[in-house]
């Protein structure tokens, strides 16, 4: 194909989603596209979910937390420009304007197709004193560097973590492992309330308390106080004050879409609305990753979920469709995730009870607890499984699992079950293998199907 007939594709933002888009295009359709990438950072494809591992394990080489780099993408044929901040988009003339943050030079570039993958930003609530020193976030590579340095600083003894979600709990474990005294503060009444059943989160909370972590619930942050050197010293809530040496804000993320407010159609949270091809309200602009509202199959709503797995999939879909004029449909997500903290392995997919209640979704819940392995297997543990289903259609809408043994693979199974509309009744006779090293003859997956139908069948081994 003649060079001039190739589509000129610009990818803005080259982290999980952007890297995936670049790779799928150039590894499969290099005869159809010319790819130019821009990113505001000096690195790409950083695994932010590995920050807690870096802190806890003391990784000597942070390079293992990157799965690609600019050189690799350049070898594929991409023109990659780091340290370039997006300033504006002229969709009528199909041009973008950027600033090189190192040289301050303003650059204008043109595209045939634009892929927006600028992701999300940590929420920075307007607390008084938020700009004091030693108040950190956990998102980007340079955030991680600061957190690792703090974990190694012997003068930092007490750390307040604001936010009891996934990131807050992971960081609490990692920093505790480095000998820090932890105060975890959340305005809700328990950790990970928006994701997991209280029965599950209580197991983790009990373990955290036994280890000496201070869990503070139902308190709102008012602000922070500092010393004469502007280092944070105190966290003020609506009920108490806490003396600290460092604060980590982990209260969530919001789509990084301020520049697109009057350019593309956004939802109420500011996420970019896309169709099944990851195409925005402008047919020549595609959007991917944390900045987009994607279809969630458990409730049929569209909203943003900041997960690397979702970002990678949306990047692949957009890359295929940009190169081939929309041939590949995105089938939505179930919001699947898992966590390994304080000796517990916990995973979820689909609808949570809290979401169902807050959005008036008709649902039923069935819960099952049993041993995961036969009595003659030494390392057996109790496993808890909860399913949420539609009482009318009987279709499974959500699943959660918790154990000290790893059963996270069950979440893969239930994610597919939600996508394909499997019913709670079909679990009773589903074909699952048995081997004592892995499960019991009637394991917890089939057992919960019986329980949902009030069928009693005692089977112990």
């Amino acid at each position: 194909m003649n060079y001039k007939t190739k589509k000129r594709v610009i990818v803005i933002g080259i982290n999980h989603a952007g890297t995936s888009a670049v790779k799928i295009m150039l590894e499969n359709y290099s005869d159809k596209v010319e790819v130019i990438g821009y990113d505001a950072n000096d690195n790409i494809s950083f695994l932010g979910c590995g920050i807690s591992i870096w802190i806890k394990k003391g990784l000597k080489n942070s390079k293992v937390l990157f799965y690609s780099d600019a050189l690799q993408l350049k070898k594929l044929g991409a023109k990659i420009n780091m340290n370039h901040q997006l300033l504006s988009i002229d969709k009528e003339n199909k041009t973008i304007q950027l600033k090189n943050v190192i040289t301050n030079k303003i650059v204008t570039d043109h595209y045939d197709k634009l892929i927006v993958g600028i992701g999300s930003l940590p929420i920075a609530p307007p607390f008084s004193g938020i700009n004091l020193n030693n108040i950190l976030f956990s998102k980007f590579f340079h955030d991680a560097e600061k957190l690792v340095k703090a974990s190694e600083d012997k003068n930092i003894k007490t750390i307040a973590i604001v936010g009891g979600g996934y990131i807050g709990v992971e960081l609490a474990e990692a920093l505790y492992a480095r000998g820090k005294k932890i105060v975890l503060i959340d305005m809700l009444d328990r950790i990970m309330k928006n994701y997991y059943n209280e029965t599950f989160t209580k197991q983790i909370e009990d373990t955290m308390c036994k280890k000496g972590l201070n869990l503070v619930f139902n308190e709102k942050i008012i602000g922070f106080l500092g010393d004469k050197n502007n280092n944070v010293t105190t966290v003020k809530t609506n009920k108490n004050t806490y003396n600290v040496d460092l604060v980590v804000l982990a209260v969530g993320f919001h789509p990084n879409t301020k520049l697109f407010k009057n350019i593309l159609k956004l939802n109420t949270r500011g996420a970019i609305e896309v169709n099944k091809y990851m195409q925005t309200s402008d047919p020549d602009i595609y959007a991917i990753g944390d900045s987009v509202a994607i279809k969630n199959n458990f409730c049929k709503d569209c909203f943003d979920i900041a997960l690397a797995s979702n970002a990678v999939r949306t990047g692949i879909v957009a890359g295929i469709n940009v190169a081939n004029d929309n041939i590949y449909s995105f089938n939505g997500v179930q919001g699947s995730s898992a966590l390994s903290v304080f000796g517990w392995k916990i995973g979820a997919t689909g609808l949570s009870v809290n979401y169902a209640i807050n959005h008036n979704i008709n649902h039923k819940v069935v819960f099952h607890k049993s041993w995961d392995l036969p009595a003659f297997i030494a390392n057996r543990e109790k496993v808890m499984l909860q399913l949420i289903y539609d009482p009318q259609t009987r279709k499974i809408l959500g699943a959660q699992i918790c154990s000290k043994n790893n059963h996270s693979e069950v979440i893969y199974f239930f994610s597919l079950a939600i996508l394909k509309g499997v019913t709670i009744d079909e679990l009773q006779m589903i074909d699952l293998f048995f081997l004592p090293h892995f499960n019991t003859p009637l394991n917890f997956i089939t057992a919960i199907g019986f329980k949902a139908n009030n069928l009693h069948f005692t089977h112990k081994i």
Side-chain angles (χ1 to χ4, degrees):
M1 180 176 284
N2 186 280
Y3 173 81
K4 292 185 180 297
T5 66
K6 290 185 177 182
K7 294 176 185 174
R8 183 176 176 83
V9 181
I10 293 181
V11 181
I12 300 290
I14 319 171
N15 204 40
H16 300 299
T19 295
S20 300
V22 171
K23 284 187 173 183
I24 198 72
M25 286 188 288
L26 292 179
E27 289 180 356
N28 297 276
Y29 312 110
S30 59
D31 60 330
K32 296 181 179 182
V33 294
E34 173 194 8
V35 178
I36 304 93
Y38 291 95
D39 198 282
N41 298 300
D42 59 5
N43 60 84
I44 65 173
S45 75
F46 173 63
L47 290 167
C49 53
I51 292 176
S52 60
I53 299 173
W54 186 2
I55 295 170
K56 183 178 178 180
K57 300 294 185 182
L59 299 179
K60 301 301 181 183
N61 187 353
S62 61
K63 290 181 180 180
V64 298
L65 297 177
F66 294 86
Y67 58 87
S68 187
D69 55 37
L71 180 60
Q72 183 188 71
L73 300 185
K74 287 177 181 178
K75 287 181 178 178
L76 290 175
K79 298 175 183 177
I80 302 298
N81 305 276
M82 306 305 297
N83 299 301
H84 278 71
Q85 180 183 1
L86 180 65
L87 299 178
S88 62
I89 297 176
D90 181 348
K91 65 178 184 179
E92 305 302 326
N93 294 305
K94 294 188 178 181
T95 61
I96 60 172
Q97 192 175 68
L98 311 102
K99 182 177 78 171
N100 185 317
V101 298
I102 304 299
T103 65
N104 290 322
K105 181 181 178 181
I106 303 300
V107 175
T108 300
D109 206 344
H110 69 280
Y111 62 87
D112 295 314
K113 300 290 181 181
L114 178 66
I115 299 178
V116 177
I118 56 176
S120 59
L121 295 173
I123 294 172
F127 300 139
S128 64
I130 195 170
N131 293 319
L132 289 167
N133 298 328
N134 281 7
I135 297 180
L136 306 179
F137 293 95
S138 178
K139 170 70 171 175
F140 302 108
F141 175 62
H142 297 302
D143 295 330
E145 287 183 312
K146 293 176 183 176
L147 283 166
V148 170
K149 185 177 180 180
S151 74
E152 297 169 346
D153 188 339
K154 293 181 180 179
N155 293 317
I156 295 176
K157 294 179 171 61
T158 302
I159 298 176
I161 298 173
V162 180
Y166 274 102
I167 293 174
V169 174
E170 281 189 312
L171 288 175
E173 182 193 42
L175 292 166
Y176 167 81
R178 297 305 296 264
K180 307 302 181 183
K181 183 179 179 181
I182 304 298
V183 182
L184 182 68
I185 305 171
D186 199 290
M187 62 186 295
L188 300 178
D189 58 1
R190 59 186 176 89
I191 61 171
M192 300 185 288
K193 182 170 183 175
N194 292 327
Y195 311 108
Y196 289 103
N197 180 306
E198 185 174 4
T199 305
F200 295 1
T201 57
K202 189 178 186 306
Q203 308 298 317
I204 301 172
E205 288 175 5
D206 287 348
T207 303
M208 294 171 77
C209 290
K210 287 178 182 177
K211 291 181 178 294
L213 285 79
N214 184 10
L215 304 185
V216 178
F217 298 126
N218 297 309
E219 293 191 22
K220 296 181 180 180
I221 301 294
I222 301 299
F224 308 106
L225 300 177
D227 60 18
K228 62 181 180 181
N229 296 316
N230 286 326
N231 292 318
V232 67
T233 59
T234 308
V235 178
K236 292 180 63 178
T237 75
N238 60 328
K239 297 179 181 179
N240 293 292
T241 60
Y242 302 91
N243 296 325
V244 301
D245 304 305
L246 179 79
V247 173
V248 183
L249 294 176
V251 294
F253 304 99
H254 63 84
N256 181 21
T257 56
K258 186 177 180 180
L259 277 175
F260 298 90
K261 187 174 181 180
N262 299 313
I263 298 173
L264 302 174
K265 187 176 181 181
L266 309 180
N267 71 2
T268 55
R269 256 184 61 84
I272 301 170
E273 294 190 1
V274 293
N275 62 17
K276 63 183 180 180
Y277 305 115
M278 307 312 299
Q279 194 173 32
T280 70
S281 52
D282 183 317
D284 292 318
I285 301 177
Y286 292 69
I288 55 181
D290 292 357
S291 61
V292 305
I294 53 179
K295 184 179 76 172
N296 291 268
N297 293 313
F298 59 85
C299 64
K300 307 306 179 186
D301 290 338
C302 293
F303 53 85
D304 53 302
I305 301 179
L307 290 171
S309 52
N310 291 345
V312 168
R313 286 192 289 269
T314 57
I316 291 171
V317 171
I320 292 173
N321 287 324
V322 163
N324 298 283
D325 299 322
N326 297 351
I327 63 170
Y328 194 78
S329 296
F330 186 64
N331 60 10
V333 300
Q334 288 69 253
S336 306
S337 59
L339 197 65
S340 176
V341 286
F342 295 101
W344 292 96
K345 313 298 189 295
I346 187 169
T349 187
L351 186 69
S352 70
V353 172
N354 200 52
Y355 187 92
I357 292 172
N358 290 338
H359 292 79
N360 297 313
I361 297 175
N362 192 21
H363 68 284
K364 274 195 172 185
V365 179
V366 58
F367 177 86
H368 179 74
K369 183 177 181 180
S370 66
W371 291 104
D372 58 350
L373 302 172
F376 55 84
I377 300 295
N379 65 333
R380 73 170 185 162
E381 293 283 353
K382 287 291 181 69
V383 58
M384 295 177 290
L385 177 64
Q386 173 191 277
L387 297 183
I388 304 172
Y389 62 96
D390 185 321
Q392 292 183 320
T393 66
R394 310 284 290 174
K395 290 181 179 180
I396 298 168
L397 301 176
Q400 299 181 8
I401 195 163
C402 181
S403 179
K404 288 188 175 181
N405 281 339
N406 181 22
H407 295 289
S408 60
E409 73 283 350
V410 170
I411 295 304
Y412 301 149
F413 170 85
F414 281 112
S415 177
L416 184 61
I418 295 167
L419 176 65
K420 294 300 183 182
V422 174
T423 69
I424 192 80
D425 309 305
E426 290 176 295
L427 291 182
Q428 296 169 179
M429 292 298 164
I430 196 165
D431 181 16
L432 300 176
F433 75 90
F434 160 64
L435 196 66
H437 299 290
F438 301 103
N439 53 22
T440 58
L442 183 72
N443 71 16
F444 50 85
I445 294 175
T446 48
I448 203 169
F450 281 96
K451 198 166 186 177
N453 284 283
N454 293 314
L455 288 172
H456 303 286
F457 183 74
T458 303
H459 187 87
K460 293 183 179 180
I461 183 171

